[in-house]
Amino acid sequence: MSRLSYGHRVELHSNSAAKALLSLMERKKTNLCVSVDVTSKASFLTIIDAVGPDVCLVKTHIDIIEDFDQDLITKLQELSAKHDFLIFEDRKFADIGNTVALQYSQGVHKIASWAHITNAHPVPGPGIIAGLGSVGHPLGRGLLLLSEMSTKGNLATGLYTESAVEMARQNRDFVIGFIAMSRDSLHQKEKDDSEDFLILTPGVGLDTYGDTMGQQYKTPYEVVFNRGCDVIIVGRGIYGDGKNIDISSVQTQAKRFRQEGWNAYLKRIDG
Ligand code: 5BU
């Protein structure tokens, strides 16, 4: 499955967020997602405007923004239209269905109203998909399950990962794929040729191997070519520590990661 082009895979999905993302990647020729983990509205929007031409997806942690307001969402949506990218709120929901439905739709952030894609830990069981799906599916949103993580010592391995894949298989209209470190968990159990899941992978870097808090980095080539993942998620590798942002360096790094990710993908589909 991972040898098919993004464009060919559009038809294998019924979910509109999955279709939109795959079409966009094919059209714009990028599999780069930038994770914009900064805490001020101004830096957040500045970085997104700078990397916008090079990304298929912008990943947010909306709850770390100190001066969040509705205008930030309006501006984010304007940038999404201007540069042609989708929005992924990395919320990592992890509660019972009833609670996550409220967290997804209500409160200050009203995530479901603007995030095309969000994600959830499978730890509560299928009820978390039912809860999020009751809000997101009618809006055409897509959900990723965290079947693996990038950090040292994480518990999302083995049977846990396999169970996450099974939960996704039961809910393919809303669960569009996984946050995972490789395609292996799917290959082993792939059931039929029409099954297609997106694999989005954080922990991607080119100049460092990790940080002091357990993060571990792999290169875009390792992630996309060797491990068959679809989207590379890059944060600090592009904008550093988020202080004193140098826009031209942010743009240079975004183009560098974009090129590395796309070349690895071209080599993969070339087989
Ligand atoms: P970095 O600056 O490239 O290390 O940022 C990585 C981002 O991806 C950050 O927003 C994390 O919350 C996110 N992430 C991760 O690093 N590893 C994981 O397993 C998951 C999410 Br799930």
Side-chain angles (χ1 to χ4, degrees):
M1 200 56 68
S2 65
R3 290 239 164 117
L4 286 179
S5 72
Y6 298 132
H8 278 104
R9 291 167 58 190
V10 173
E11 297 313 316
L12 302 175
H13 289 262
S14 59
N15 179 283
S16 32
K19 280 180 173 296
L21 181 59
L22 285 162
S23 318
L24 199 161
M25 289 160 77
E26 178 78 31
R27 172 171 78 242
K28 201 169 166 183
K29 302 201 178 338
T30 171
N31 53 18
L32 173 64
C33 167
V34 176
S35 173
V36 192
D37 301 341
V38 293
T39 56
S40 81
K41 177 177 164 182
S43 317
F44 178 79
L45 294 171
T46 302
I47 291 173
I48 294 173
D49 201 20
V51 301
D54 293 302
V55 300
C56 59
L57 201 56
V58 162
K59 185 173 88 59
T60 60
H61 282 298
I62 207 67
D63 58 350
I64 67 177
I65 308 272
E66 299 261 6
D67 48 352
F68 173 86
D69 58 11
Q70 196 50 41
D71 176 63
L72 179 147
I73 297 301
T74 305
K75 295 221 161 68
L76 176 60
Q77 289 175 319
E78 284 168 6
L79 289 172
S80 154
K82 173 181 170 189
H83 295 297
D84 191 22
F85 60 75
L86 297 187
I87 305 165
F88 165 24
E89 164 59 23
D90 188 2
R91 175 62 178 76
K92 299 187 182 73
F93 291 101
D95 212 322
I96 65 166
N98 185 64
T99 302
V100 295
L102 294 169
Q103 291 172 322
Y104 190 24
S105 59
Q106 310 293 315
V108 177
H109 299 121
K110 306 196 189 329
I111 293 163
S113 72
W114 51 268
H116 302 96
I117 296 170
T118 191
N119 56 359
H121 286 289
V123 69
I128 192 166
I129 302 175
L132 293 169
S134 71
V135 172
H137 190 251
L139 298 173
R141 305 308 190 199
L143 181 70
L144 302 165
L145 290 181
L146 284 92
S147 60
E148 292 179 318
M149 291 191 72
S150 64
T151 40
K152 207 173 289 177
N154 81 79
L155 308 179
T157 60
L159 263 183
Y160 183 91
T161 302
E162 283 176 31
S163 306
V165 171
E166 278 314 309
M167 272 173 61
R169 285 195 166 116
Q170 303 306 315
N171 295 277
R172 282 178 56 191
D173 53 344
F174 184 51
V175 180
I176 62 174
F178 303 95
I179 297 292
M181 300 302 120
S182 95
R183 240 190 156 74
D184 287 355
S185 58
L186 295 180
H187 273 165
Q188 282 157 16
K189 302 183 82 186
E190 208 152 53
K191 285 198 174 132
D192 63 68
D193 287 337
S194 68
E195 179 178 284
D196 188 73
F197 285 112
L198 285 156
I199 309 268
L200 281 68
T201 307
V204 175
L206 279 164
D207 304 315
T208 44
Y209 294 104
D211 63 14
T212 56
M213 300 184 205
Q215 178 67 295
Q216 307 176 105
Y217 292 120
K218 297 175 179 60
T219 63
Y221 184 86
E222 168 70 15
V223 161
V224 176
F225 184 77
N226 292 339
R227 294 167 172 253
C229 305
D230 297 313
V231 175
I232 54 170
I233 300 174
V234 187
R236 287 165 289 177
I238 288 178
Y239 52 77
D241 62 8
K243 299 174 186 110
N244 307 316
I245 296 156
D246 171 355
I247 286 303
S248 84
S249 150
V250 168
Q251 286 170 327
T252 303
Q253 292 304 324
K255 288 185 195 315
R256 179 178 174 223
F257 276 96
R258 175 193 189 167
Q259 196 70 53
E260 294 276 337
W262 194 255
N263 286 346
Y265 159 73
L266 290 180
K267 189 168 169 197
R268 181 175 100 197
I269 60 168
D270 198 31

